[in-house]
Amino acid sequence: MAKKALITGITGQDGSYLADFLLEKGYEVYGMVRRSSMEKFDRIEHIKERIHIRQADLLDQYSISKIIEEVQPEEVYNLAAMSFVPTSWDQPVLTAEFTAIGVTRMLEAIRAVNPRIRFYQASSSEMFGKVKEIPQTERTSFHPRSPYGVAKVYGHWITVNYRESYNLFAASGILFNHESPRRGIEFVTRKVTYNAAKIKLGVSKELRLGNLDAKRDWGYALDYVQAMWMMLQQDEADDFVIASGETHSVKELVEIAFSHVGLDYRDFVVLDKKFIRPAEVDLLSGDFSKAKKILGWQPQVKFSDLIKMMVEADLAVVKKEYNL
């Protein structure tokens, strides 16, 4: 019998890569989606015939319990969230409902329906925010700097709480930024690679950005979803930092992307105050040594190769969009 996995947020970057990965492992994959006029299925178009889509909503306890009752998965991966940090400033209460309380609803449903289910919670490096030490480990204290980061801290601690209180197998991956050609266009990495492609192909003239000095620890999404799966195969549930261990600035990202298409970014990048956050997270850098030691995980794709891969993919996207 194939193992069953339920993925919330299956239409997102991580959900789609995780679905690909689990299908290769022989899983029966179920994806939970909200009934929404905005739902986009382009990231899972290539596997739509091989997965089962079910409707439920992290805001609705009954629908979550019902989907878990019907599917009876061995593993649940909770990747759904209000995941774009700037939006969390505009919709802080909704962000809390999805990203914080939604985790509790999920854990409650598992506890009620089948406490043997293994649960993965997508925690985030945004929880560290105003960092207390560099690099950040599983023991670094949290100081989130956005409503999204605050909500993720709640989701993280409620997962720990259910693990300790009810003996659930509930693991959290504290994932640092991870990117890919499937990244949403609103995220800075994809915004840069997509616009570098547009400028190279002559359909755009400038790219507006905020803080070029912000530094992040960026890795490749496909590497990171493998770590999620590894966490649920352990004898005991635990929390793991998943990161590249390298820090790069937005400026470096821009330089690599533009030079890959033979351009000097200084000719095209315009600094725009509207992209500066109310409270900036200046430096995120993760220490993944625990994941390396216990899970045997380490990142495979280097930062510069990741950005070049994304630029190449976006050149193809832009050519298709503009019939070039």
Side-chain angles (χ1 to χ4, degrees):
M1 280 283 286
K3 260 190 186 177
K4 288 183 193 171
L6 173 66
I7 304 171
T8 75
I10 195 167
T11 59
Q13 168 187 259
D14 292 9
S16 65
Y17 278 119
L18 180 61
D20 286 341
F21 178 74
L22 293 177
L23 285 171
E24 273 182 36
K25 291 264 174 213
Y27 278 68
E28 200 174 325
V29 175
Y30 289 78
M32 182 179 123
V33 298
R34 296 170 63 212
R35 188 176 174 85
S36 157
S37 57
M38 297 288 289
E39 202 61 73
K40 287 172 64 193
F41 291 89
D42 50 331
R43 292 187 184 94
I44 53 171
E45 199 62 50
H46 63 293
I47 52 171
K48 225 166 63 189
E49 307 305 314
R50 299 170 61 202
I51 59 179
H52 311 276
I53 297 295
R54 294 284 185 273
Q55 283 183 351
D57 198 314
L58 283 178
L59 303 186
D60 181 58
Q61 184 70 55
Y62 174 73
S63 69
I64 296 172
S65 299
K66 191 162 167 267
I67 195 175
I68 289 174
E69 184 76 63
E70 283 174 7
V71 173
Q72 289 292 334
E74 277 91 352
E75 297 172 2
V76 170
Y77 296 86
N78 185 39
L79 310 186
M82 185 73 86
S83 66
F84 185 47
V85 175
T87 303
S88 77
W89 296 103
D90 300 328
Q91 300 179 319
V93 177
L94 190 61
T95 297
E97 282 285 353
F98 275 120
T99 310
I101 310 298
V103 185
T104 317
R105 293 189 187 104
M106 210 78 204
L107 288 161
E108 266 300 289
I110 287 170
R111 187 168 80 90
V113 176
N114 178 3
R116 291 186 304 282
I117 290 170
R118 295 188 164 212
F119 176 76
Y120 171 83
Q121 167 60 13
S123 287
S124 165
S125 59
E126 287 284 330
M127 302 189 305
F128 296 120
K130 194 178 172 78
V131 298
K132 300 290 189 280
E133 59 181 355
I134 299 167
Q136 293 91 51
T137 72
E138 294 79 5
R139 291 178 304 281
T140 304
S141 58
F142 302 137
H143 187 145
R145 300 268 279 170
S146 66
Y148 171 78
V150 174
K152 277 290 185 188
V153 171
Y154 176 100
H156 180 81
W157 281 118
I158 201 72
T159 301
V160 172
N161 190 261
Y162 270 64
R163 177 167 77 220
E164 294 176 352
S165 305
Y166 302 117
N167 205 25
L168 293 187
F169 191 107
S172 281
I174 305 171
L175 270 57
F176 280 67
N177 293 60
H178 44 289
E179 318 298 318
S180 75
R182 296 184 195 174
R183 189 55 140 157
I185 213 98
E186 68 275 21
F187 289 87
V188 69
T189 44
R190 183 76 200 288
K191 182 179 174 180
V192 168
T193 61
Y194 178 68
N195 281 284
K198 280 175 77 174
I199 291 166
K200 175 64 180 175
L201 295 168
V203 292
S204 183
K205 289 190 164 55
E206 66 174 30
L207 165 60
R208 291 182 167 267
L209 290 171
N211 183 6
L212 288 189
D213 297 320
K215 294 192 167 98
R216 291 289 183 277
D217 181 322
W218 278 298
Y220 178 38
L222 183 55
D223 286 348
Y224 286 38
V225 301
Q226 295 178 22
M228 299 174 185
W229 175 79
M230 288 172 162
M231 286 177 217
L232 295 200
Q233 312 315 308
Q234 302 305 305
D235 293 333
E236 285 176 26
D238 205 348
D239 308 320
F240 294 92
V241 163
I242 302 298
S244 74
E246 291 180 11
T247 303
H248 300 275
S249 66
V250 175
K251 188 176 170 186
E252 280 178 78
L253 153 67
V254 173
E255 279 182 293
I256 292 168
F258 277 81
S259 64
H260 185 63
V261 290
L263 300 174
D264 184 336
Y265 81 92
R266 289 169 295 196
D267 298 335
F268 307 98
V269 171
V270 179
L271 297 184
D272 190 333
K273 283 194 173 63
K274 88 171 180 204
F275 295 114
I276 306 277
R277 293 181 188 179
E280 183 57 87
V281 175
D282 297 312
L283 177 60
L284 290 175
S285 173
D287 175 355
F288 64 91
S289 49
K290 180 179 171 183
K292 187 175 182 181
K293 184 179 170 200
I294 294 172
L295 306 177
W297 180 88
Q298 57 185 25
Q300 302 299 315
V301 176
K302 287 266 176 244
F303 176 69
S304 58
D305 295 333
L306 168 64
I307 301 309
K308 289 170 188 171
M309 174 206 304
M310 290 173 68
V311 172
E312 286 299 325
D314 275 326
L315 286 166
V317 166
V318 174
K319 280 175 186 167
K320 194 175 171 187
E321 276 178 1
Y322 290 88
N323 294 317
L324 299 174

